[in-house]
């Protein structure tokens, strides 16, 4: 009789590891923000903030829900169909949340809800009601308040409801009711608060930048001729999702001349030997964005022309970062980048003339047609004024921004040596103003050309 061929298998249970620790905004910081805003509003004001609406992608499929940044900044509450109301000095409670009621059937289909009880217990609301009671309760809260702080225009359907409640009250003014007299732009106050990042926010942004930098390193290591642009996208997404982060905007992965299309999003072409690859990709972690661009040779080695242009952009990036410090103006980093780019283009023979004149005429704009950066925070192009009156804003500790000079030599550009055509380079970092200068959050993504070649040679 044949021997039994039963194989003894030894099963080893897979063990859990500790829950990964990520920074987060503590509850008392949300409370501090609400208190600060209420102080700015004054005791005759009331603020009304709706959650972001759920948006349909196609038929009955929804886009992934992302809370409105202003709403989240004040509440930390991520559910849709909610409204936050701040009523400074109201004896029964200053912070009121309207939220979806608990509903076992809906929760079986769509996930858990906090409900009014959770809104009070977990999110610190003084008072909370089902969202279905909004029309009954909100007019009463508006009564006897003079100013309504509201961001008009962001959600037109909700605008109509707010105007409807206020007009309804005004119609009753003859019965001696005190009704709101004016609408005040809530975004004006709130966006100035959001411009200055707290220590906890900077911790989150540092983590968001660290994850994005790691994703760029992963993409650099994977990159080789013959790969498709979307395969680089896959490397980026893999790293983001490993850390429970998602994209903060659709990644731009442009090989060769695609790098000259600033918002290239097709990401469906093959990467060619001898071309550069421009990757502009950042992630969002707990509503905080990173935004990084790196440009590198598909085959791991810069050609002399590519390296020459690259070094100009890198010098512009470093010169701009040097200008990020308290007391300087918003525009100083841009001016520094423009100077270096213009000098570099003259040195390379791509522009002819005196640097000062070319700068004044804006001749560099043919190659560098965007600004050197933008505020960065909960929104990738974050809120906050760039000018106060006619003056560029003075930089202060806690402000976060990108530094992203570039040179793009369109393939069709005339009067440019053939070897330069189709080269598009941008180098983008995220920085936060500190007391003495700035912190570069994205330094883990290599940008020195030798460091890039060394990393790409490892794979
Ligand atoms: N990724 C968009 C930007 O760099 O502004
Ligand atoms: Mn950017
Ligand atoms: Mn970018």
């Amino acid at each position: 009789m044949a021997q039994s061929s039963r194989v003894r298998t030894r099963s080893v249970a897979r063990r859990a590891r500790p829950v990964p620790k990520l920074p987060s905004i503590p509850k008392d910081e949300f409370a501090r923000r609400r208190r600060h805003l209420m102080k700015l509003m004054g005791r005759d004001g009331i603020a009304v903030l709706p959650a972001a609406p759920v948006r349909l992608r196609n038929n009955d499929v929804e886009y992934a829900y992302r809370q409105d940044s202003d709403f989240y900044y004040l509440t930390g509450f991520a559910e849709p169909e909610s409204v936050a109301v701040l009523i400074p000095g109201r004896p029964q409670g200053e912070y009121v949340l309207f939220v979806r009621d608990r509903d076992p059937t809906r929760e079986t289909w769509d996930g858990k809800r906090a409900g009014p009880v959770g809104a009070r217990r977990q999110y610190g609301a003084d008072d909370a009601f089902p969202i279905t009671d909004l029309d009954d309760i909100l007019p009463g809260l508006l009564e006897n308040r003079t100013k309504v702080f509201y961001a008009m225009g962001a959600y037109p359907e909700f605008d109509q409801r707010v105007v409807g409640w206020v007009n309804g009250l005004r119609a009753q003014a003859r019965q001696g009711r005190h009704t709101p007299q004016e609408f005040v732009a809530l975004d004006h106050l709130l966006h100035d608060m959001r411009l200055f990042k707290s220590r906890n926010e900077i911790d989150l942004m540092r983590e968001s930048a660290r994850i994005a930098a790691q994703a760029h390193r992963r993409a650099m290591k994977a990159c080789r001729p013959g790969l498709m642009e979307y395969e680089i996208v896959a490397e980026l997404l893999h790293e983001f999702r490993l850390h429970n982060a998602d994209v903060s905007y659709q990644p731009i992965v442009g090989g060769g001349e695609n790098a000259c299309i600033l918002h290239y999003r097709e990401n469906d072409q093959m990467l060619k030997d001898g071309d550069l690859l421009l990757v502009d990709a950042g992630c969002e972690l707990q509503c905080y964005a990173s935004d990084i661009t790196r440009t590198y040779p598909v085959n791991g080695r810069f050609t002399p022309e590519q390296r020459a242009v690259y070094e100009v952009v890198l010098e512009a990036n470093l010169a701009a970062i040097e200008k990020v410090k308290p007391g300087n103006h918003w525009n100083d980093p841009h001016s520094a980048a423009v100077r270096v780019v213009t000098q570099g283009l003259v040195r390379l023979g791509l522009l002819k003339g005196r640097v000062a004149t070319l700068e004044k005429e804006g001749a560099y704009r043919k190659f560098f047609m965007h600004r050197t950066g933008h505020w960065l925070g909960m929104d990738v192009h974050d809120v906050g004024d760039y000018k106060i009156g006619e003056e560029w804003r003075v930089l202060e500790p806690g402000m976060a921004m990108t530094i992203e000079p570039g040179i793009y030599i369109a393939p069709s550009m005339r009067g440019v040596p053939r070897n330069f055509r189709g080269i598009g380079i941008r180098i983008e970092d995220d920085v936060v103003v500190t007391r003495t200068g700035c912190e570069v959050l994205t330094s883990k993504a290599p940008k020195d050309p030798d460091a890039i070649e060394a990393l790409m040679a490892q794979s």
Side-chain angles (χ1 to χ4, degrees):
M1 220 166 92
Q3 263 197 328
S4 158
S5 63
R6 244 187 314 166
V7 180
R8 279 180 49 174
T9 52
R10 217 180 315 146
S11 78
V12 180
R14 296 178 185 192
R15 297 235 169 80
R17 51 169 195 169
V19 177
K21 268 188 104 149
L22 290 172
S24 64
I25 306 290
K27 292 213 164 74
D28 62 348
E29 184 159 330
F30 291 107
R32 245 192 337 265
R33 293 170 182 172
R34 291 190 294 269
R35 278 200 302 275
H36 184 67
L37 176 63
M38 285 194 272
K39 218 154 144 195
L40 297 173
M41 286 162 53
R43 290 177 80 92
D44 58 346
I46 179 169
V48 182
L49 294 101
V54 172
R55 298 193 201 271
L56 286 181
R57 184 175 181 275
N58 60 300
N59 198 4
D60 59 350
V61 175
E62 295 165 1
Y63 280 105
Y65 186 71
R66 162 56 154 82
Q67 188 55 278
D68 174 86
S69 296
D70 285 344
F71 182 94
Y72 193 80
Y73 181 78
L74 291 175
T75 63
F77 192 67
E79 289 185 29
E81 294 181 71
S82 335
V83 172
V85 188
L86 298 178
I87 318 147
R90 177 174 175 262
Q92 311 90 312
E94 298 182 306
Y95 173 34
V96 179
L97 267 180
F98 292 86
V99 300
R100 299 178 303 183
D101 230 341
R102 298 292 310 271
D103 178 335
T105 309
R106 286 309 334 152
E107 288 181 56
T108 300
W109 285 87
D110 297 329
K112 289 191 183 141
R113 302 172 171 192
V117 173
R120 277 191 291 268
R121 287 209 189 128
Q122 295 156 43
Y123 294 92
D126 298 318
D127 235 349
F129 303 101
I131 187 71
T132 44
D133 292 351
L134 189 63
D135 283 316
D136 295 333
I137 296 175
L138 199 66
L141 299 176
L142 290 165
E143 217 182 310
N144 295 323
R145 296 276 154 176
T146 316
K147 296 176 183 160
V148 181
F149 289 79
Y150 178 70
M152 197 66 81
Y155 304 116
E157 275 179 34
F158 198 79
D159 291 354
Q160 293 300 317
R161 296 182 71 186
V162 175
V163 170
W165 293 318
V166 170
N167 284 344
L169 284 172
R170 284 180 181 162
Q172 299 171 32
R174 261 171 281 139
Q175 287 128 39
R177 298 228 178 170
H178 292 286
T179 62
Q181 298 301 308
E182 60 177 303
F183 279 102
V184 184
L186 173 62
D187 24 338
H188 187 70
L189 295 181
L190 203 48
H191 293 178
D192 209 60
M193 286 171 64
R194 280 179 51 193
L195 179 56
F196 295 88
K197 274 69 181 175
S198 69
R199 190 191 296 259
N200 290 317
E201 288 181 292
I202 294 169
D203 284 349
L204 260 178
M205 291 183 71
R206 193 181 288 116
E207 185 64 10
S208 179
R210 191 189 66 76
I211 295 165
Q214 212 161 296
H216 277 267
R217 292 172 66 90
R218 185 187 184 105
M220 281 179 196
K221 287 193 200 163
C223 182
R224 59 189 154 76
L227 227 55
M228 302 300 285
E229 290 166 344
Y230 52 74
E231 292 179 86
I232 297 293
V233 176
E235 297 294 333
L236 299 163
L237 297 185
H238 186 109
E239 197 65 38
F240 293 167
R241 296 301 299 128
L242 274 181
H243 298 90
N244 201 20
D246 214 328
V247 292
S248 51
Y249 53 91
Q250 290 311 312
I252 298 166
V253 177
E257 62 187 58
N258 293 338
C260 298
I261 302 169
L262 296 179
H263 290 160
Y264 175 73
R265 272 176 290 232
E266 285 81 359
N267 300 337
D268 61 358
Q269 297 301 303
M270 187 177 277
L271 301 177
K272 293 199 206 94
D273 201 354
D275 275 355
L276 287 175
L277 171 63
L278 182 151
V279 178
D280 183 346
C283 64
E284 183 179 279
L285 181 70
Q286 291 178 44
C287 286
Y288 285 85
S290 46
D291 181 6
I292 304 181
T293 308
R294 289 293 183 263
T295 310
Y296 40 96
V298 167
N299 65 13
R301 291 294 238 178
F302 286 94
T303 66
E305 289 80 8
Q306 289 168 350
R307 191 179 262 259
V309 181
Y310 189 92
E311 275 169 355
V312 174
V313 180
L314 182 57
E315 194 191 332
N317 166 286
L318 295 172
I321 290 174
E322 190 73 19
K323 294 287 180 189
V324 181
K325 55 173 129 179
N328 277 2
H329 288 85
W330 162 258
N331 205 45
D332 291 339
H334 182 61
S335 303
V338 162
R339 163 79 36 106
V340 172
V341 166
T342 308
Q343 285 168 342
L345 290 170
V346 169
R347 211 165 50 231
L348 295 172
L350 299 177
L351 279 181
K352 292 188 177 56
R354 281 187 55 233
V355 169
T357 319
L358 291 167
E359 237 181 276
K360 213 153 63 214
E361 290 169 348
Y364 60 87
R365 287 204 194 100
K366 213 166 92 170
F367 301 91
F368 175 28
M369 58 295 276
H370 55 78
R371 289 193 57 88
T372 298
H374 47 81
W375 301 130
L376 180 74
M378 298 182 82
D379 295 313
V380 65
H381 293 169
D382 207 30
V383 295
D385 291 331
Y386 291 97
K387 277 187 169 176
I388 303 277
E390 289 304 299
E391 297 294 320
W392 290 111
R393 187 141 203 165
V394 174
L395 299 180
E396 295 177 55
M399 292 175 168
M401 68 192 78
T402 66
I403 294 293
E404 49 177 309
I407 292 180
Y408 314 91
I409 308 168
S412 57
M413 197 177 273
R414 285 154 193 261
V416 167
R418 190 162 294 277
N419 292 353
F420 283 105
R421 290 194 206 154
I423 290 180
I425 296 170
R426 177 163 65 255
I427 306 173
E428 176 174 29
D429 284 304
D430 302 345
V431 302
V432 185
V433 184
T434 61
R435 275 189 314 142
T436 52
C438 72
E439 177 185 346
V440 180
L441 303 178
T442 43
S443 53
K444 290 271 160 53
K447 62 181 173 182
D448 175 85
D450 294 332
I452 289 175
E453 288 188 347
L455 180 70
M456 293 183 78
Q458 276 175 28
S459 51

